[in-house]
Amino acid sequence: MVSRAGEIRERHRGEITVHAGLSRYLRTAARIGLPAPVCFAWDTGPDPAVLPKEPDTGHPQILRVHIAPAGRPSGGCHVEVRPFAPEERSGLTGRELQVLTLVACGLTNPDIATRLTVSRRTAATHVERLLHKLGVTSRAAATAIALDRDLFTLPVRGELAGLPSLGPLRLEAAVRDNPGSPSTPDAPRRRVTRPRPLLIGAVYPSAGDWLGDGLKMEQGTRLAVDEINERGGVAGRRIEHIPLRVNIQDGRAIQYAIERLVGEDVDAITTGYTLQRSRDSLSAQFLPAASAGSPLLHHSTSASAADLIAEETDTFSNVFQVCGRESVYGTGFVRMLTTLRDSGAWRPASNRLQVFDTDDTDMTTFTPSAMEAAERAGWRPAVEHINSFAPDWTTVISQIRDLDPAAVMIAHFATAQMAAFVREFRRDPSDALLYALYSPSVPQFLDQADGRAEGMLWATVSGLYGDNFGHQFERRFLRRFGSTPGLSSAGIRYDMIHLLAAAWSQCDSPHDTEEVNRVLRRIVHRGVNGSYHFGSPDQTNLVYPDQTTDPSIAQAHLVYQVQDGHHHIIAPTPYSTAPFRPVA
């Protein structure tokens, strides 16, 4: 019950009054004396135009508000507020409900775009998606459903002049006429003093062996956002970060996360690696962002993703892979061993090599090209395949003992499991030179390997350089978070944000997604993990020296060696920080 004087008497104290904006609407309804009941939706989540720096990552609760006259001489009104279940609102998000309200008011897509300060393409995408969810093909049918199901959403963005005088809009007008009411989202004062922030939605690993790496990714993003905002943002616009954490073994979970970020009307999306990388799965994951048009940057080292972009450019013109393909790892392994052998830095006991590649055909690292390169260099490689998630290390070590190779490459990317292999292998070591991929980049690896990683080599196609760029980044990261960034994921996420900021700064409007994507395809950016350029048809970063001899437009395929309990870059020139050290 809300009295005419504005007193709210709740059955369960606090359930309404915690929503300060809603309370004002209820008090206004009681004061003016509604002639008939009014029902509308109220989104308790923050307005996407003014999201807080670290919003709650849970689903914002949308409320269904019903206000009816009290029928008493003293006036006032009865109010019922309850959760608005997704099935009752046809699964529409808060943003889609807002768009539906404007559609029902008779506004065109350009008008909606202006009110919501989004691009026309984004507005059209919202309209298309809500029509699909409602199961209708016309705006008139959507309007009828909005009226029938009480899907009008308050507050309404923009001016009320020219809009129909419907029940919820009459209440909106009364609130705005009340001198004590809060300013609306589009009030000129706020539009002048605080331009709409640039929203970056980010997807991170939520659990398992990838949780620690996901934390470094998020910290790298936060550091970049903070630094850019401290310098005044992008053309006076702050950057806001919306993090979502998902199970990266579930492609549908990643797809739903991207859909949710699109629903929040973000200006760009960043994601890491996905462990479901078939062409169909990747297409499904990318499609929500492709429909919206906002740039999506990912670092999944995926040949499948690169091929998908190259072959379906019209659909996925906004998807960029900010690292190379995992298929270059095998040729890099052969090149590194050949260089060490031919320079005399390493004297292999035989010409036998053993490769344990993943059994996932979409993540092949030792390709036919690598096999040919090995044979041309005089090596005799043997290739076995191991489970991507639960390898049998006992069998792997037994096979190594049987072949007695000069070197062994292990293509397994989970840090804890790779450390478990190293511990087991070192209990009865052979003369084989160990060579791993990516997983030792995570800071926990050396501790998990329990001192057994000494002398091993490992490679990454996106690693933190050991130059002034890299060292300064490490120091800033340590001051900000009290821990080291690791040697890959934090740096590449940091670089992603600066890439987007560089592109936005060169556009007349950072909300013009087509222009932003064109600039991303054109610019060259030097980050802490190397240089980035997406000018190739697959919009995938190049790898030096495997795909180009020009390191100014590529990331170096870095090879590290663990020496005295620390990681040192031993190749390629000019990025090495220490020479190779023969294993005792």
Side-chain angles (χ1 to χ4, degrees), residues 393-418:
W393 294 132
T394 300
T395 299
V396 168
I397 291 172
S398 175
Q399 292 172 326
I400 295 173
R401 305 292 184 225
D402 291 342
L403 184 64
D404 190 23
V408 179
M409 185 181 95
I410 308 286
H412 190 76
F413 299 93
T415 301
Q417 293 194 46
M418 189 65 213

Side-chain angles (χ1 to χ4, degrees), residues 289-306:
S291 299
S294 300
L296 184 151
L297 278 60
H298 74 94
H299 56 100
S300 203
T301 58
S302 173
S304 298

Side-chain angles (χ1 to χ4, degrees), residues 109-147:
N109 288 355
D111 292 334
I112 293 172
T114 299
R115 285 173 178 260
L116 299 183
T117 63
V118 299
S119 69
R120 294 187 178 188
R121 181 173 179 178
T122 298
T125 298
H126 285 314
V127 172
E128 181 181 346
R129 289 172 67 84
L130 70 86
L131 292 177
H132 174 73
K133 288 183 178 181
L134 294 175
V136 298
T137 57
S138 71
R139 302 165 85 94
T143 300
I145 291 176
L147 292 169

Side-chain angles (χ1 to χ4, degrees), residues 229-491:
N229 286 338
E230 287 169 5
R231 296 196 296 265
V234 178
R237 296 179 183 271
R238 288 180 57 82
I239 295 178
E240 303 289 358
H241 169 220
I242 306 176
L244 294 181
R245 301 166 187 86
V246 302
N247 177 7
I248 61 170
Q249 293 180 237
D250 186 348
R252 288 179 298 179
I254 297 174
Q255 176 186 342
Y256 297 153
I258 294 175
E259 285 181 350
R260 181 179 165 194
L261 292 171
V262 168
E264 295 284 3
D265 200 30
V266 296
D267 296 286
I269 295 173
T270 63
T271 71
Y273 37 76
T274 169
L275 301 185
Q276 286 199 351
R277 293 151 43 116
S278 69
R279 186 185 181 96
D280 288 344
S281 180
L282 289 167
S283 178
Q285 292 172 45
F286 295 154
L287 269 175
S291 299
S294 300
L296 184 151
L297 278 60
H298 74 94
H299 56 100
S300 203
T301 58
S302 173
S304 298
D307 291 340
L308 174 67
I309 306 313
E311 295 167 16
E312 299 187 33
T313 304
D314 291 343
T315 301
F316 298 107
S317 62
N318 64 316
V319 179
F320 301 87
Q321 183 165 306
V322 296
C323 57
R325 304 169 178 232
E326 78 277 341
S327 51
V328 304
Y329 276 126
T331 53
F333 170 63
V334 172
R335 185 185 65 253
M336 185 74 249
L337 297 187
T338 303
T339 300
L340 292 176
R341 180 197 63 188
D342 294 350
S343 67
W346 173 53
R347 295 183 179 181
S350 71
N351 65 348
R352 294 187 298 276
L353 304 179
Q354 190 151 33
V355 175
F356 291 94
D357 209 348
T358 172
D359 61 358
D360 185 342
T361 56
D362 292 300
M363 296 175 66
T364 300
T365 61
F366 204 81
T367 62
S369 296
M371 179 68 75
E372 294 171 5
E375 291 173 347
R376 284 197 305 269
W379 300 107
R380 292 172 52 198
V383 180
E384 302 287 344
H385 293 89
I386 56 177
N387 187 281
S388 301
F389 302 111
D392 180 356
W393 294 132
T394 300
T395 299
V396 168
I397 291 172
S398 175
Q399 292 172 326
I400 295 173
R401 305 292 184 225
D402 291 342
L403 184 64
D404 190 23
V408 179
M409 185 181 95
I410 308 286
H412 190 76
F413 299 93
T415 301
Q417 293 194 46
M418 189 65 213
F421 165 77
V422 172
R423 293 195 307 270
E424 184 68 23
F425 180 79
R426 294 299 193 195
R427 286 195 178 97
D428 183 18
S430 74
D431 293 332
L433 185 63
L434 286 185
Y435 192 102
L437 306 179
Y438 179 76
S439 54
S441 70
V442 180
Q444 294 90 338
F445 174 80
L446 291 178
D447 287 338
Q448 292 173 345
D450 196 24
R452 306 295 181 89
E454 188 68 22
M456 71 175 291
L457 275 59
W458 64 274
T460 177
V461 294
S462 180
L464 183 65
Y465 283 15
D467 57 9
N468 285 335
F469 285 93
H471 292 319
Q472 291 173 11
F473 168 73
E474 286 182 303
R475 288 192 289 269
R476 294 194 304 272
F477 192 98
L478 182 61
R479 285 196 301 268
R480 176 71 170 81
F481 301 108
S483 62
T484 59
L487 294 170
S488 183
S489 291

